[in-house]
Amino acid sequence: MSPAPVACEARARLLRVYEFAVFDYNRALTLLDRHSGISFKREYEELQASAEKARQLAEQARTALATHTIEHEC
């Protein structure tokens, strides 16, 4: 029987970063949805930009996690 794999601290950290980024993105989308049709155009555009930035950060975090997982086989 082989020993249990050692937990990779870097992967665990990257996973937490990704989870928080996805949470922030979901929150930004919820806020955007709540203000749809009731906000001034400028405010809504700012919310859209914020949601897009959150999406980009989540994508970067996902890529970092995937890259680490492939490179370190963990």
Side-chain angles (χ1 to χ4, degrees):
M1 185 173 198
S2 63
V6 177
C8 178
E9 291 180 27
R11 184 179 185 284
R13 181 186 56 78
L14 289 168
L15 180 58
R16 284 191 305 274
V17 168
Y18 175 61
E19 288 170 342
F20 283 120
V22 169
F23 176 81
D24 286 344
Y25 178 48
N26 285 329
R27 187 175 50 178
L29 289 176
T30 298
L31 190 59
L32 185 63
D33 185 52
R34 286 182 184 164
H35 286 84
S36 178
I38 62 170
S39 297
F40 292 108
K41 182 179 179 183
R42 181 177 167 94
E43 180 183 357
Y44 189 77
E45 288 172 346
E46 289 171 359
L47 291 171
Q48 278 183 311
S50 178
E52 176 58 19
K53 180 65 176 174
R55 186 198 64 76
Q56 291 171 359
L57 291 174
E59 179 60 25
Q60 289 171 1
R62 187 200 63 76
T63 300
L65 176 61
T67 299
H68 175 86
T69 301
I70 291 168
E71 289 177 356
H72 295 264
E73 298 179 354
C74 58

